[in-house]
Amino acid sequence: MSRTAPLPAILFVCLGNICRSPLAEAALRARAVAAGLELDIDSAGTGDWHVGEPPDRRARATARRHGIDISGYRGRQVQAEDFRRFSHIFALDHTNLSNLRRLAPADATARLGLLLDMVDGLAGQAVADPYYGGEDGFEITWQQVDAAAAAIIDELYR
Ligand code: 4NP
């Protein structure tokens, strides 16, 4: 990447922005630091029920088990400006991807994609919503979003 290229800016989007996308944000932040890469990273939800709230307690506990504190994150809803500000927007599942396509303004510049399309062997799959399950579901979420974060870092290094 040339030095004059703008910083890659990556947004993760799920439904509530309190379970899956904050974990994806945390995983990529940690991997970017480890790789010495400067990235603009954020997460948002297509829904507005949890705007201003911290991540779900189970998501916070999962991140903490992996050495990351996400208690300062706050839920927010996707905005039209996000489609211009971010170079890449990754949806955590197919419904959120279709909703993003519907919400994208005519002058959107961001590339939209399904997050697990980044991961060998998981292309086309959704990161399942762990909200209505137990804490073990959040660990599966973590493993999936962390694999995607590793793949994103690989892609940016290439
Ligand atoms: P997320 O999970 O989209 O991974 O943040 C959910 C959080 C909240 C709700 C649904 C999914 N909800 O219906 O409130």
Side-chain angles (χ1 to χ4, degrees):
M1 206 180 307
S2 96
R3 264 197 284 165
T4 53
L7 220 55
I10 294 168
L11 180 68
F12 298 105
V13 176
C14 62
L15 181 59
N17 192 210
I18 56 166
C19 298
R20 292 166 292 174
S21 62
L23 288 176
E25 176 182 347
L28 186 61
R29 283 189 186 282
R31 286 192 174 268
V33 168
L37 276 182
E38 202 185 334
L39 298 176
D40 186 358
I41 305 167
D42 200 3
S43 64
T46 52
D48 66 357
W49 310 284
H50 301 286
V51 169
E53 291 179 16
D56 184 279
R57 178 188 50 75
R58 297 161 295 175
R60 283 183 273 139
T62 301
R64 199 179 313 114
R65 271 201 313 280
H66 291 279
I68 303 169
D69 179 7
I70 61 169
S71 60
Y73 291 14
R74 291 294 178 268
R76 74 169 183 90
Q77 193 175 23
V78 171
Q79 302 170 320
E81 187 203 324
D82 290 323
F83 293 89
R84 296 179 288 266
R85 175 180 155 209
F86 291 91
S87 53
H88 298 76
I89 302 181
F90 289 109
L92 278 279
D93 63 32
H94 303 85
T95 308
N96 284 298
L97 181 57
S98 346
N99 285 333
L100 284 169
R101 291 203 169 113
R102 191 174 46 76
L103 292 167
D107 62 348
T109 46
R111 288 174 54 182
L112 304 187
L114 187 69
L115 183 65
L116 290 185
D117 278 353
M118 297 298 295
V119 183
D120 284 345
L122 296 182
Q125 293 190 34
V127 176
D129 188 349
Y131 186 66
Y132 295 104
E135 201 148 332
D136 50 342
F138 282 74
E139 181 56 30
I140 294 169
T141 300
W142 175 265
Q143 295 303 330
Q144 293 183 338
V145 300
D146 189 47
I152 291 168
I153 295 287
D154 280 353
E155 185 82 14
L156 294 174
Y157 259 127
R158 211 174 280 158

